[in-house]
Amino acid sequence: MGCRNCKATNLIRQKLGRCRQCMIQLTVLSLCSWGAWFYFYLPTPRMVESITLLFAASSFSLLLLAHFVVALALRMKKKNRQQQTAP
Protein backbone atom coordinates (compact mmCIF):
# COMPACT_ATOMS: atom_id res chain seq x y z
CA MET A 1 0.00 0.00 0.00
CA GLY A 2 1.55 3.23 -1.08
CA CYS A 3 2.24 5.43 -4.06
CA ARG A 4 4.60 4.73 -6.96
CA ASN A 5 7.34 6.89 -5.44
CA CYS A 6 7.31 4.95 -2.19
CA LYS A 7 7.39 1.59 -3.96
CA ALA A 8 10.38 2.69 -6.04
CA THR A 9 12.41 3.65 -2.96
CA ASN A 10 13.94 0.96 -0.77
CA LEU A 11 15.29 3.05 2.10
CA ILE A 12 12.84 3.91 4.88
CA ARG A 13 14.66 7.21 5.46
CA GLN A 14 13.65 8.32 1.97
CA LYS A 15 9.99 7.42 2.48
CA LEU A 16 8.96 8.88 5.81
CA GLY A 17 7.41 12.33 5.86
CA ARG A 18 7.54 12.97 2.12
CA CYS A 19 4.44 11.39 0.58
CA ARG A 20 1.09 13.07 1.16
CA GLN A 21 -0.83 10.15 -0.31
CA CYS A 22 0.68 7.74 2.19
CA MET A 23 -0.04 10.09 5.09
CA ILE A 24 -3.66 10.51 3.97
CA GLN A 25 -4.05 6.74 3.71
CA LEU A 26 -2.63 6.29 7.22
CA THR A 27 -4.95 8.99 8.57
CA VAL A 28 -8.01 7.28 7.08
CA LEU A 29 -6.90 3.84 8.27
CA SER A 30 -6.16 5.14 11.74
CA LEU A 31 -9.48 6.95 12.08
CA CYS A 32 -11.46 3.98 10.74
CA SER A 33 -9.74 1.45 12.97
CA TRP A 34 -10.04 3.57 16.12
CA GLY A 35 -13.68 4.32 15.27
CA ALA A 36 -14.43 0.63 14.74
CA TRP A 37 -12.75 -0.28 18.02
CA PHE A 38 -14.69 2.34 19.99
CA TYR A 39 -17.98 1.36 18.34
CA PHE A 40 -17.68 -2.43 18.46
CA TYR A 41 -15.17 -3.41 21.15
CA LEU A 42 -15.03 -0.70 23.81
CA PRO A 43 -17.16 -2.72 26.28
CA THR A 44 -15.13 -5.92 25.69
CA PRO A 45 -11.45 -4.97 25.48
CA ARG A 46 -10.16 -8.48 26.32
CA MET A 47 -11.55 -10.27 23.28
CA VAL A 48 -9.05 -11.45 20.66
CA GLU A 49 -10.72 -9.34 17.97
CA SER A 50 -10.55 -6.28 20.19
CA ILE A 51 -6.86 -6.76 20.92
CA THR A 52 -6.11 -7.31 17.24
CA LEU A 53 -7.95 -4.15 16.24
CA LEU A 54 -6.18 -2.21 19.02
CA PHE A 55 -2.84 -3.44 17.73
CA ALA A 56 -3.70 -2.40 14.15
CA ALA A 57 -5.02 1.01 15.21
CA SER A 58 -1.95 1.64 17.36
CA SER A 59 0.37 0.62 14.52
CA PHE A 60 -1.35 2.95 12.05
CA SER A 61 -1.25 5.80 14.55
CA LEU A 62 2.42 5.31 15.43
CA LEU A 63 3.45 5.17 11.78
CA LEU A 64 1.42 8.32 11.10
CA LEU A 65 3.11 10.01 14.06
CA ALA A 66 6.51 9.02 12.65
CA HIS A 67 5.53 10.55 9.30
CA PHE A 68 4.48 13.80 10.99
CA VAL A 69 7.66 14.04 13.06
CA VAL A 70 9.90 13.51 10.03
CA ALA A 71 7.82 15.91 7.90
CA LEU A 72 8.13 18.56 10.60
CA ALA A 73 11.88 17.97 10.89
CA LEU A 74 12.29 18.24 7.12
CA ARG A 75 10.28 21.46 7.04
CA MET A 76 12.33 22.98 9.86
CA LYS A 77 15.56 21.93 8.16
CA LYS A 78 14.44 23.48 4.87
CA LYS A 79 13.42 26.69 6.64
CA ASN A 80 16.80 26.93 8.39
CA ARG A 81 18.63 26.47 5.08
CA GLN A 82 16.59 29.23 3.47
CA GLN A 83 17.30 31.61 6.36
CA GLN A 84 21.04 30.89 6.24
CA THR A 85 21.31 31.49 2.48
CA ALA A 86 19.27 34.70 2.52
CA PRO A 87 21.36 37.85 3.00
Side-chain angles (χ1 to χ4, degrees), residues 3-11 14-15:
C3 65
R4 286 182 221 141
N5 295 331
C6 289
K7 289 181 182 178
T9 306
N10 291 328
L11 297 174
Q14 295 175 349
K15 294 178 184 181

Side-chain angles (χ1 to χ4, degrees), residues 12 17 19 21 24 27 32 36-37 42 48 51 55 60-61 74-76 78 81 83 87:
I12 194 166
C19 180
Q21 181 181 351
I24 291 170
T27 302
C32 289
W37 186 82
L42 185 61
V48 173
I51 295 169
F55 181 73
F60 292 141
S61 298
L74 290 172
R75 182 171 285 176
M76 299 280 287
K78 184 178 178 181
R81 274 193 221 149
Q83 287 178 354

Side-chain angles (χ1 to χ4, degrees), residues 11-87:
L11 297 174
I12 194 166
R13 289 174 48 196
Q14 295 175 349
K15 294 178 184 181
L16 278 177
R18 289 178 171 84
C19 180
R20 264 184 210 258
Q21 181 181 351
C22 294
M23 288 191 268
I24 291 170
Q25 286 175 353
L26 279 172
T27 302
V28 169
L29 286 170
S30 182
L31 289 174
C32 289
S33 57
W34 281 114
W37 186 82
F38 278 113
Y39 185 75
F40 293 112
Y41 296 111
L42 185 61
T44 56
R46 293 188 179 161
M47 290 177 56
V48 173
E49 296 88 357
S50 175
I51 295 169
T52 305
L53 192 54
L54 271 173
F55 181 73
S58 298
S59 299
F60 292 141
S61 298
L62 287 174
L63 186 56
L64 182 62
L65 180 66
H67 272 282
F68 284 144
V69 167
V70 172
L72 181 64
L74 290 172
R75 182 171 285 176
M76 299 280 287
K77 189 176 183 181
K78 184 178 178 181
K79 192 180 239 186
N80 285 340
R81 274 193 221 149
Q82 288 175 353
Q83 287 178 354
Q84 289 176 354
T85 59

